Amino acid sequence: MSEFERRKQGFEKFFELGEALRFKALSRRNHAVGRWAAENLALAGEAVDRYAEAFGKGQIEGEDDETLIARLHDEFVKAGVEVSAHRIRRHFEAAMNDAITEIEAGR
């Protein structure tokens, strides 16, 4: 195997690892945001877990952050919960930071 092929394989493995860690962080972030949203919507018990799981699937199904934020904001408005899209966006960022910290700590 040539040096070029070894380097190419190394970069491919690095990219794969980065994508796997990104997916793991997004999954954790979305679960945390889903739980936070469920609590704001006054859900309790198993309903919180179901909501968080369903919310997390949005990213897997191809929805981007802005779509998830808009959907969540609409749900809050319909439920009479006063949370701005800006605050939701900030919660997304904080949850992502927490997820990355947990992953880096090996949790």
Side-chain angles (χ1 to χ4, degrees):
M1 179 183 301
S2 71
E3 178 65 24
F4 176 77
E5 287 297 317
R6 279 194 296 270
R7 292 185 70 164
K8 181 180 171 186
Q9 283 183 344
F11 281 118
E12 287 172 355
K13 287 181 182 178
F14 179 75
F15 179 77
E16 288 173 12
L17 178 62
E19 285 300 300
L21 291 174
R22 181 179 175 276
F23 178 80
K24 190 174 185 179
L26 281 173
S27 178
R28 286 185 186 198
R29 179 205 67 182
N30 288 346
H31 186 77
V33 170
R35 291 189 68 78
W36 170 78
E39 291 166 3
N40 277 286
L41 293 168
L43 300 178
E46 290 182 20
V48 172
D49 294 331
R50 283 192 306 273
Y51 186 90
E53 185 176 325
F55 185 81
K57 288 182 182 179
Q59 195 93 39
I60 294 169
E61 294 170 356
E63 292 181 315
D64 64 4
D65 286 356
E66 290 305 313
T67 302
L68 290 173
I69 290 166
R71 183 173 57 132
L72 187 54
H73 186 258
D74 289 345
E75 288 180 28
F76 282 161
V77 168
K78 288 177 187 173
V81 178
E82 291 189 32
V83 177
S84 68
H86 175 77
R87 184 167 168 217
I88 296 168
R89 192 172 290 106
R90 293 299 160 246
H91 197 78
F92 265 65
E93 292 170 2
M96 181 59 110
N97 289 336
D98 291 346
I100 291 169
T101 300
E102 288 177 3
I103 290 168
E104 288 175 343
R107 292 181 274 168

